[in-house]
Amino acid sequence: MAKNFIQPGNTLTIPAPAGVLSGDVVIAGEIVGIAQGDAGAGEPCDVTTVGVWELPKVAADAVTVGAPIYWDADDSLATTTAAGNTRLGTAVEAAASGAATVKVRLIG
């Protein structure tokens, strides 16, 4: 292994940008992931940046497999709407309009 290798980067410890609970989506600049524990704003927070996660979604959105998924931070919901939202990843399973959740592979 190269002498300058630090870690795989699947889970990063960063200051929480706001108060978070375990399982919350965390967005800090270009870092997008899922909180692995509770943390107050500015406290160290382990954030996993890879994997497939079931997340709450905008009920009106019908999601197809492979669709890009974004995070609506105002409503704390996954959505297919890009405008004004942060890219989270890709849907790995269809989710009908009216469904409460969507399975998303993070962009890592």
Side-chain angles (χ1 to χ4, degrees), residues 57-61 94-102:
K57 76 167 189 66
V58 172
D61 288 355
S97 176
T101 62
V102 62

Side-chain angles (χ1 to χ4, degrees), residues 1-7:
M1 183 165 302
K3 64 182 178 180
N4 57 342
F5 178 80
I6 296 172
Q7 66 169 332

